[in-house]
Amino acid sequence: MLALQLALRFLGEGRTQTSLILAGVTVGVAAYVFITATMLGVEQNMVAKTLGSQAHISVLDEPMPPQPLVHPEGRLVLRTVVQPEPRQKPFDQWQRALERVEATPGVRAACPTLAGSGLAIRGGGQQAIRVVGADPTRLRRIIDIPANLVEGSWRPDADQVVIGSVLAEELGLALGRPMRIRTSAGEASVRVVGIFELGSDAVDGQWVVTSLRTAQSLLGRPGDISSIDATVDELFAADEVAERVAARTGLTAESWMARNGALLTALSAQSQSTTLIRVFTLLAVAMGIASVLAVTVVQRRGQIGILRAMGVRARTILATFLWQGALLGIGGALLGTALGMLVGGMLERVVPFDIVVGPSTALQALAISLLTGLGAALWPARTAARMDPAAAIRGDE
Amino acid sequence: MSDDDVLVELSGVHKSFGEAPETRVEVLHGIDLTLRRGELVALVGPSGSGKSTLLNILGLLDRATTGILRIRGRDVSDMSDAELTSLRAEVLGFVFQFHHLLPGLTVAENVMLPAAAREGALAPTQRPRAVDLLGHVGLADQADRYARQLSGGMQQRVAVVRALMNSPLVVYADEPTGNLDTESSMRVMDFLVDWNRRERTTFVIVTHDPDIARRCRRVLRMVDGHLVADGPPEDVLR
Ligand SMILES: Nc1ncnc2c1ncn2[C@@H]1O[C@H](COP(=O)(O)OP(=O)(O)OP(=O)(O)O)[C@@H](O)[C@H]1O
Ligand SMILES: [Mg+2]
């Protein structure tokens, strides 16, 4: 308590010095917050773009990749390589697999889906399409079509479809218009009841979304599905969840991370370089605090001597200087977070992604700045605490 | 006086500075001294004779190179730094030759410091006594100003009353009137003499001023690290 009181009075006394170093810490923390928020924004933006039209995990009815059978001692005894059969084999007992996928920890939602290719016929022309059939309520938890609906409804009934905006434009299709679809199973007519735009050309230009039953009849695969798509609780845990799903179902489970390796490599390289920048920023902040405190320890030699003579313990002197570091860290964190948000808010208007300083970034900045302040104060504080009171009072040198 | 009244005993105290034999200087050459309850002692001697060095050892701020210091019968040489610190807070008061106040604290807070050291915090309950003490040296109305706003003489008077905050048994004052004009010096001495009589606090006052020394009942003279005289002022000061 005495230590905190003395720390506040010491900081208040050297007002110019305190303001300058506080400004330094503020700028450092602001840079830290801003860089972190920008990095998160870029990452979220790229991930959102990628995942807006992809399931986190797709479970396919394919045997697990061939596994070498290894003898307990490590010697290879047998290896079987099974050639994957051509596709189109029905998904074996998918209802049971669906239950297991849903019961896997980390899975938030699952949706049996039947997808297949076909052609949209209009006038004399034709256009390649992808028929995607799924229960609308389940599908919205995998790919959020309702949130990206441009017009109409997102719940197709029998023989009704919801199509992408690019496809609608290319085919000149409006709501309520009929559309002819040809697949390997034959030709049928459906009605367009909704148009969506997910922001991905491949999806908006090809997807024809309908109920599972309609897709099964269009593609001539009654009762069948092609995959079970799943959403996970923790985006970046998709790999682990996929492994768990594969283990439980004995099927192949492919995560978005496996599908988008290049994107993840780029993101991780970027995150490493920002980490480096953040570390250097914090080092600069720490050295600023340390040098100012080291100077004040020397300036306050006589005062420290008086305090010790009055019976103030060495521990209290140590705590006094640690408090100064901590207070500079906390003060700089609060001001710096505010400044970082301000700069981020200004930049956000000119970049195509969100720069969000969330509570976790702010708390992280506070914790790191506090630790930096304490760490920086450690050495000056120890010097002050170990000062010989007699030498400090003599006032020579 | 009975032996119960003995507060401080020094016997055979030497103090040297420097580690290497060729740079080593001995500043105190075997000091024997006893201080009793209620004594008012002046310590005089030429500059560099070792007065401040002796006071630092008596005040537990520095350790003797050899020799024994007992406070209330207890040998302090085997006490840890932390034990010495709390003993200082309990029984000793200081006025220093050079450094007086903490400029970033108010005058009242400066006076409260010894109590804060003992209680672990500056607290409002310590304030009335601090203001009361300041009143004795005519500075009660300065209580809430910052110490740095006071003149050197005022600061020294604040430092004098600060030494009394915890009602110590012994006060060591190194030239407490060094920055004061004759009249203020005498007023501070009036206060100390009066306090000594009422509270039976022991004072050791280092001074170059014979008028100050004459007001003490016992005078010690130090020359080149030896105590060369110890007696009433009329014998020692001539
Ligand atoms: N830390 C130290 N290292 C080396 N020499 C020292 C140290 N402290 C004091 N001295 C020397 O010891 C001698 C006595 O110093 P001290 O300060 O005790 O004298 P003093 O009697 O208080 O003098 P003054 O009246 O000028 O205050 C001086 O010669 C001084 O240079
Ligand atoms: Mg001296």
Side-chain angles (χ1 to χ4, degrees):
Chain A
M1 186 61 187
L2 179 59
L4 175 58
Q5 292 171 326
L6 290 173
L8 286 168
R9 283 160 179 81
F10 280 177
L11 288 175
E13 186 203 349
R15 206 154 290 163
T16 323
Q17 222 166 25
T18 304
S19 316
L20 279 175
I21 187 60
L22 199 58
V25 180
T26 300
V27 170
V29 173
Y32 178 92
V33 165
F34 173 72
I35 292 168
T36 307
T38 307
M39 175 63 207
L40 278 178
V42 168
E43 190 174 288
Q44 276 169 4
N45 180 55
M46 290 173 77
V47 170
K49 264 211 172 123
T50 308
L51 292 183
S53 53
Q54 281 186 15
H56 296 173
I57 293 178
S58 290
V59 183
L60 307 172
D61 185 17
E62 284 165 12
M64 301 257 271
Q67 303 268 327
L69 297 173
V70 177
H71 189 268
E73 281 167 20
R75 219 151 28 90
L76 188 70
V77 281
L78 179 67
R79 166 183 247 162
T80 47
V81 178
V82 179
Q83 287 299 324
E85 289 172 32
R87 287 290 298 128
Q88 289 298 8
K89 159 180 94 71
F91 201 117
D92 189 32
Q93 292 187 300
W94 63 262
Q95 286 88 348
R96 233 180 62 202
L98 176 62
E99 277 169 23
R100 291 191 178 161
V101 171
E102 282 179 321
T104 306
V107 170
R108 183 186 294 167
C111 172
T113 310
L114 175 64
S117 49
L119 291 169
I121 318 282
R122 169 118 183 124
Q126 53 187 30
Q127 171 100 23
I129 58 165
R130 184 165 179 78
V131 176
V132 177
D135 171 48
T137 326
R138 281 182 179 270
L139 181 63
R140 77 172 298 187
R141 303 187 61 185
I142 310 295
I143 294 167
D144 198 356
I145 290 176
N148 296 285
L149 203 67
V150 182
E151 50 181 335
S153 146
W154 60 277
R155 287 177 161 280
D157 278 341
D159 296 331
Q160 295 184 343
V161 294
V162 180
I163 64 174
S165 58
V166 177
L167 184 63
E169 196 171 324
E170 280 173 357
L171 295 176
L173 280 171
L175 280 192
R177 302 299 301 270
M179 173 182 182
R180 283 203 74 72
I181 291 176
R182 181 187 298 154
T183 69
S184 54
E187 249 185 66
S189 183
V190 293
R191 189 170 300 278
V192 177
V193 295
I195 295 173
F196 63 82
E197 188 168 313
L198 285 171
S200 150
D201 277 357
V203 174
D204 295 341
Q206 289 204 323
W207 277 28
V208 172
V209 179
T210 182
S211 68
L212 185 56
R213 193 170 289 271
T214 305
Q216 284 167 344
S217 94
L218 282 174
L219 295 168
R221 293 168 67 177
D224 195 15
I225 64 166
S226 53
S227 68
I228 298 171
D229 293 339
T231 303
V232 293
D233 292 323
E234 193 65 56
L235 210 49
F236 286 89
D239 266 346
E240 291 159 41
V241 179
E243 265 171 42
R244 253 180 265 150
V245 169
R248 285 186 172 222
T249 58
L251 304 171
T252 299
E254 195 182 59
S255 82
W256 73 272
M257 297 167 84
R259 262 181 262 127
N260 299 280
L263 170 72
L264 286 175
T265 312
L267 284 179
S268 109
Q270 191 176 354
S271 126
Q272 274 164 19
S273 65
T274 53
T275 301
L276 213 61
I277 296 174
R278 288 190 290 187
V279 168
F280 282 132
T281 310
L282 290 175
L283 272 180
V285 167
M287 287 189 286
I289 295 180
S291 64
V292 165
L293 288 182
V295 169
T296 67
V297 167
V298 174
Q299 284 173 339
R300 297 188 197 286
R301 266 175 77 89
Q303 300 187 37
I304 294 166
I306 289 192
L307 288 168
R308 298 283 284 115
M310 299 288 126
V312 173
R313 282 173 298 189
R315 268 215 324 254
T316 308
I317 301 291
L318 181 84
T320 298
F321 283 86
L322 289 180
W323 266 117
Q324 291 185 66
L327 290 169
L328 287 172
I330 293 171
L334 296 179
L335 294 172
T337 304
L339 182 64
M341 289 169 85
L342 201 76
V343 175
M346 272 157 36
L347 193 80
E348 199 174 21
R349 288 190 219 130
V350 295
V351 296
F353 54 88
D354 293 347
I355 299 178
V356 183
V357 180
S360 76
T361 307
L363 274 180
Q364 198 186 15
L366 185 67
I368 287 180
S369 179
L370 173 62
L371 287 179
T372 306
L374 277 176
L378 205 57
W379 178 74
R382 280 166 55 135
T383 312
R386 287 177 181 176
M387 207 172 258
D388 170 16
I393 287 158
R394 223 165 1 243
D396 43 25
E397 283 157 70
Chain B
M1 278 185 211
S2 76
D3 276 358
D4 290 350
D5 283 330
V6 172
L7 291 180
V8 178
E9 283 176 280
L10 273 186
S11 55
V13 164
H14 292 255
K15 177 69 184 177
S16 326
F17 292 106
E19 296 293 323
E22 58 273 20
T23 57
R24 204 172 165 83
V25 276
E26 187 165 282
V27 177
L28 300 179
H29 312 287
I31 307 284
D32 300 305
L33 178 65
T34 302
L35 297 173
R36 290 166 197 278
R37 185 92 203 265
E39 281 191 304
L40 183 54
V41 183
L43 176 57
V44 301
S47 189
S49 56
K51 304 183 296 294
S52 297
T53 305
L54 177 61
L55 233 51
N56 282 343
I57 289 171
L58 286 168
L60 308 176
L61 295 170
D62 211 348
R63 290 175 189 266
T65 310
T66 58
I68 291 174
L69 167 59
R70 286 199 180 83
I71 293 191
R72 287 190 294 186
R74 173 145 187 224
D75 185 352
V76 301
S77 54
D78 56 346
M79 289 172 81
S80 71
D81 283 352
E83 285 174 307
L84 293 181
T85 301
S86 49
L87 192 56
R88 274 202 300 275
E90 271 169 46
V91 300
L92 303 183
F94 294 91
V95 185
F96 294 108
Q97 189 172 6
F98 299 109
H99 299 282
H100 301 300
L101 305 181
L102 271 63
L105 272 60
T106 66
V107 170
E109 286 170 343
N110 266 284
V111 178
M112 287 149 68
L113 267 182
R118 198 150 74 168
E119 294 166 23
L122 289 163
T125 48
Q126 300 153 358
R127 191 183 148 89
R129 177 168 168 85
V131 175
D132 180 52
L133 283 168
L134 285 167
H136 287 294
V137 289
L139 292 174
D141 55 339
Q142 307 288 324
D144 293 319
R145 295 183 72 192
Y146 281 101
R148 59 171 176 272
Q149 297 173 306
L150 267 55
S151 71
M154 283 168 146
Q155 292 195 21
Q156 197 158 32
R157 273 141 67 196
V158 176
V160 168
V161 295
R162 179 179 61 191
L164 303 170
M165 182 68 191
N166 280 353
S167 301
L169 293 175
V170 188
V171 173
Y172 297 114
D174 204 343
E175 309 218 30
T177 60
N179 290 330
L180 302 180
D181 58 57
T182 315
E183 200 198 318
S184 322
S185 298
M186 281 307 142
R187 275 218 305 273
V188 166
M189 270 318 281
D190 290 342
F191 168 63
L192 291 182
V193 168
D194 185 49
W195 186 280
N196 164 261
R197 194 171 298 134
R198 277 189 294 120
E199 307 280 334
R200 293 194 69 211
T201 304
T202 303
F203 285 88
V204 178
I205 301 170
V206 173
T207 182
H208 284 120
D209 181 348
D211 290 334
I212 299 284
R214 242 184 288 282
R215 302 196 57 180
C216 300
R217 290 182 291 281
R218 180 181 176 193
V219 179
L220 305 172
R221 179 182 296 281
M222 190 157 203
V223 177
D224 288 340
H226 295 278
L227 274 182
V228 296
D230 179 357
E234 51 277 19
D235 294 350
V236 178
L237 300 169
R238 232 173 299 147

